[in-house]
């Protein structure tokens, strides 16, 4: 069993990564149904919360069926981070996570996300500000360092634990790598093997198959792993990995009925949460992934991303069911 504060997770839990414009309640609901053990919100700007920005406030929505769930915040100002932690605590998540890993320029330029990797003292001050403002467990997600010449995750891990961080997830790339090149989990393994480190250590980066998940589980000896991009349009990956861990065998790949059901549920839940128009528009980005490598699907994908209106979209899904009733995935 893995514990974060009073949160009890199964042995070697699988975490759903916080992904901007992806990890919203409808998507999290699907991942929870298919085996994710702990999930996080999209990252939320501390300044946005304080300004009462509508988009930031919407990201605070959590539901009992997805617990345990954490809300992730980012920012570069101690006072703003402290106040946003109080705002977050009011909606009663299971934990608060701090993003010190986002490599996107607009975040880094504000001295937030991975930008803080260049100033570990600031990182610690920001973390202390959050911890002192909440009774919830506080965790951190970060990267190996700013670039290959300044990998400082060993110092970061020790200092974060010393100020009270209760779990650490490391994306095994530097900020300079963005999402390119290979992730290097040996750095995370070194942290886990540090006798000073007692908090759970989770790895993130490039987990895209049950085989790789088992290989990394056995090779690096971490407490669990976080899965991000591989789950987009494919929430089944969590169940597939868990089944492979237990049996060494693969679950059957989801067929067209399962893919149609997942995509249509995603749309329905998005419309329920965001309203019909926004739910329709924001679900469009997911259809390519739900129906990746499906021969002859281009015509229907075009309909899904251009049709307006809930009833008309559900008719498109009915068309797809009929057209692919005998389709066998290779």
């Amino acid at each position: 069993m893995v514990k974060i504060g009073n949160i009890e997770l199964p042995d070697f839990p699988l975490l759903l990564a916080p992904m901007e414009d992806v990890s919203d309640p409808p998507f999290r609901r699907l991942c929870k149904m298919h085996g994710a053990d702990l999930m996080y919100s999209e990252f939320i700007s501390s300044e946005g919360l304080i300004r009462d920005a509508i988009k930031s406030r919407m990201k605070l929505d959590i539901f009992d069926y997805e617990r345990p769930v954490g809300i992730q915040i980012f920012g570069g100002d101690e006072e703003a981070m402290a106040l946003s932690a109080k705002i977050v605590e009011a909606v009663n998540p299971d934990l608060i996570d701090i993003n010190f890993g986002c490599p996107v320029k607009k975040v880094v330029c504000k001295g937030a996300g991975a930008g803080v990797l260049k100033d570990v003292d600031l990182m610690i001050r920001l973390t202390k500000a959050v911890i002192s403002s909440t009774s919830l467990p506080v965790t951190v997600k970060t990267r190996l360092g700013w670039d290959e010449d300044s990998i400082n995750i060993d110092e970061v891990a020790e200092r974060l634990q010393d100020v009270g961080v209760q779990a650490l997830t490391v994306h095994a790339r530097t900020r300079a790598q963005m999402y390119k090149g290979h992730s290097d989990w040996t750095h995370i393994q070194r942290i886990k093997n540090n006798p000073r480190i007692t908090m759970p250590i989770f790895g993130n980066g490039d987990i895209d198959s049950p085989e790789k998940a088992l290989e990394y589980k056995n090779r690096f000896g971490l407490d669990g792993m976080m899965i991000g991009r591989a789950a987009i349009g494919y929430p089944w990956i969590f169940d597939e990995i868990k089944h492979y861990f237990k049996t060494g065998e693969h679950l059957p790949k989801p067929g067209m009925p399962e893919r149609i059901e997942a995509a249509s549920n995603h749309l329905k839940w998005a419309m329920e949460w965001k309203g019909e128009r926004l739910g329709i528009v924001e679900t469009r980005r997911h259809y390519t992934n739900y129906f990746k490598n499906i021969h002859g699907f281009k015509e229907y994908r075009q309909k899904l991303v251009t049709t307006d209106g809930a009833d008309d979209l559900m008719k498109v899904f009915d068309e797809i069911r009929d057209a692919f009733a005998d389709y066998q995935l290779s």
Side-chain angles (χ1 to χ4, degrees), residues 46 49-50 77-88 129 133:
S46 55
L49 280 179
I50 293 165
D77 177 81
E78 294 167 59
E79 188 176 342
M81 289 290 278
L83 183 52
S84 65
K86 291 181 184 294
I87 296 170
V88 166
S133 299

Side-chain angles (χ1 to χ4, degrees), residues 223-277:
D223 295 291
M225 58 180 51
M226 179 179 280
I227 296 165
R229 288 174 290 169
I232 300 174
Y234 202 82
W236 303 276
I237 192 165
F238 298 98
D239 279 336
E240 289 180 0
I241 288 172
K242 287 182 173 182
H243 185 78
Y244 195 74
F245 283 175
K246 288 180 182 176
T247 67
E249 298 176 353
H250 290 281
L251 281 174
K253 292 290 183 185
M256 280 301 284
E258 290 83 7
R259 292 168 187 262
I260 294 165
E261 181 182 24
S264 60
N265 279 338
H266 196 154
L267 172 63
K268 283 188 283 188
W269 297 335
M271 290 190 295
E272 288 170 6
W273 177 56
K274 303 176 183 178
E276 181 173 321
R277 179 61 188 159

Side-chain angles (χ1 to χ4, degrees), residues 61 90 103 159 222:
D61 288 350
R159 293 184 66 183
L222 306 180

Side-chain angles (χ1 to χ4, degrees), residues 29-77:
R29 184 173 181 177
L30 282 162
C31 291
K32 182 71 173 182
M33 287 172 57
H34 292 288
D37 296 305
L38 174 62
M39 297 177 294
Y40 299 86
S41 68
E42 302 171 75
F43 73 164
I44 306 173
S45 162
S46 55
E47 287 82 1
L49 280 179
I50 293 165
R51 288 197 314 270
D52 205 26
I54 292 172
K55 187 171 183 182
S56 294
R57 291 281 176 157
M58 274 195 77
K59 292 178 183 178
L60 291 176
D61 288 350
I62 55 175
F63 301 90
D64 283 340
Y65 58 72
E66 55 183 337
R67 293 187 184 278
V69 60
I71 289 179
Q72 189 187 71
I73 58 175
F74 74 96
D77 177 81

Side-chain angles (χ1 to χ4, degrees), residues 213-227:
L214 183 60
E215 176 195 349
Y216 279 34
K217 176 179 185 283
N218 292 338
R219 191 200 306 181
F220 299 112
L222 306 180
D223 295 291
M225 58 180 51
M226 179 179 280
I227 296 165

Side-chain angles (χ1 to χ4, degrees), residues 78-263:
E78 294 167 59
E79 188 176 342
M81 289 290 278
L83 183 52
S84 65
K86 291 181 184 294
I87 296 170
V88 166
E89 187 174 50
V91 303
N92 196 31
D94 297 286
L95 61 84
I96 296 176
D97 190 72
I98 307 174
N99 181 312
F100 291 137
C102 178
V104 176
K105 188 176 180 180
K106 69 178 181 179
V107 173
V108 169
C109 286
K110 294 177 181 176
V116 184
L117 285 164
K118 294 195 286 187
D119 188 346
V120 179
D121 288 342
L122 174 60
M123 179 190 289
I124 299 306
R125 292 197 304 273
L126 292 168
T127 304
K128 288 173 73 174
V130 171
I131 290 172
S132 64
S133 299
T134 181
S135 59
L136 293 168
V138 174
T139 62
V140 165
K141 182 166 189 269
T142 188
R143 288 183 171 234
L144 300 176
W146 181 256
D147 57 26
E148 198 68 28
D149 297 324
S150 58
I151 290 175
N152 56 0
I153 191 62
D154 301 84
E155 175 194 358
V156 164
E158 288 191 1
R159 293 184 66 183
L160 287 173
Q161 179 176 274
D162 288 347
V163 297
V165 167
Q166 299 197 36
L168 176 66
T169 301
V170 183
H171 182 120
R173 288 182 173 87
T174 64
R175 189 272 169 175
Q177 285 181 274
M178 301 294 284
Y179 296 99
K180 298 175 182 175
H182 293 293
S183 60
D184 185 353
W185 286 50
T186 60
H187 296 286
I188 318 177
Q189 180 184 37
R190 190 174 61 249
I191 302 164
K192 179 60 186 172
N193 291 337
N194 179 347
R196 278 204 61 212
I197 297 297
T198 57
M199 63 181 170
I201 302 295
F202 304 118
N204 174 229
D206 294 341
I207 298 299
D208 57 7
S209 69
E211 293 92 339
K212 185 175 282 188
L214 183 60
E215 176 195 349
Y216 279 34
K217 176 179 185 283
N218 292 338
R219 191 200 306 181
F220 299 112
L222 306 180
D223 295 291
M225 58 180 51
M226 179 179 280
I227 296 165
R229 288 174 290 169
I232 300 174
Y234 202 82
W236 303 276
I237 192 165
F238 298 98
D239 279 336
E240 289 180 0
I241 288 172
K242 287 182 173 182
H243 185 78
Y244 195 74
F245 283 175
K246 288 180 182 176
T247 67
E249 298 176 353
H250 290 281
L251 281 174
K253 292 290 183 185
M256 280 301 284
E258 290 83 7
R259 292 168 187 262
I260 294 165
E261 181 182 24

